Amino acid sequence: MYAVIDVETTGLCPGGHDRVVEVAVVHLDSRGAVEDRWCTLVNPGRDLGAQHIHGIRTADVLDAPTFGEIAGRLARLLRGRSPVAHNLRFDLAFLRAEFGRLGVTVPLDVDLGLCTMRLAGRFLPRASRSLAACCEAAGIRLTNAHSALHDAH
């Protein structure tokens, strides 16, 4: 039913030189129960950017697969599921850019997914829109922020 996505990146410009360095997908059923989870580091083929934010070091990605090596599996994990993310536009823009570099167009449309950051204004009106603030307002303990799998959960 749902594929909750999170990516960690080298920066903020998906169409430029910034790349994905970690990606996670958590499958949820229609009730929100976790069905499956998957996460991998990705070797971006360049420096890691703001390592103080995501905490991923060069040594961590030296032997990690490239995006091209994980693209097929990732596409299968996303196929037939509604994408969900906190700042869905950001995550999908990076995934579309990475698939695009491989010559693949993917139907990852923001209008077909759920953005928890946008929904927070409706359901958590007193919280700021950061993932940490939304989790706190909802009574959810956020551990290891900026780890793709922990953020997706």
Side-chain angles (χ1 to χ4, degrees):
M1 178 110 215
Y2 300 103
V4 182
I5 304 161
D6 190 64
V7 298
E8 298 301 323
T9 66
T10 61
L12 302 175
C13 300
H17 66 281
D18 288 321
R19 304 295 298 267
V20 168
V21 296
E22 186 179 30
V23 60
V25 178
V26 177
H27 283 173
L28 301 179
D29 67 16
S30 61
R31 297 178 334 272
V34 174
E35 296 177 319
D36 196 14
R37 62 185 61 82
W38 175 78
C39 183
T40 186
L41 291 171
V42 178
N43 186 330
R46 55 152 287 180
D47 71 273
L48 294 174
Q51 293 179 35
H52 67 282
I53 294 174
H54 50 61
I56 299 168
R57 300 168 301 145
T58 301
D60 298 330
V61 299
L62 285 176
D63 294 324
T66 64
F67 192 85
E69 293 170 324
I70 65 154
R73 183 167 186 188
L74 180 58
R76 286 188 299 277
L77 289 167
L78 299 175
R79 187 176 297 125
R81 293 190 175 254
S82 297
V84 179
H86 197 76
N87 196 352
L88 184 64
R89 186 171 303 282
F90 178 86
D91 291 286
L92 293 188
F94 266 95
L95 293 180
R96 281 192 306 269
E98 291 287 4
F99 279 108
R101 288 182 184 99
L102 300 173
V104 177
T105 302
V106 291
L108 294 172
D109 188 345
V110 172
D111 294 331
L112 300 177
L114 297 170
C115 178
T116 57
M117 187 172 76
R118 290 186 68 200
L119 291 169
R122 181 186 210 180
F123 296 103
L124 302 169
R126 293 188 183 102
S128 74
R129 300 300 171 255
S130 74
L131 181 60
C134 289
C135 286
E136 184 178 336
I140 298 169
R141 185 169 176 236
L142 177 64
T143 57
N144 296 326
H146 296 292
S147 155
L149 187 58
H150 288 94
D151 286 357
H153 269 280

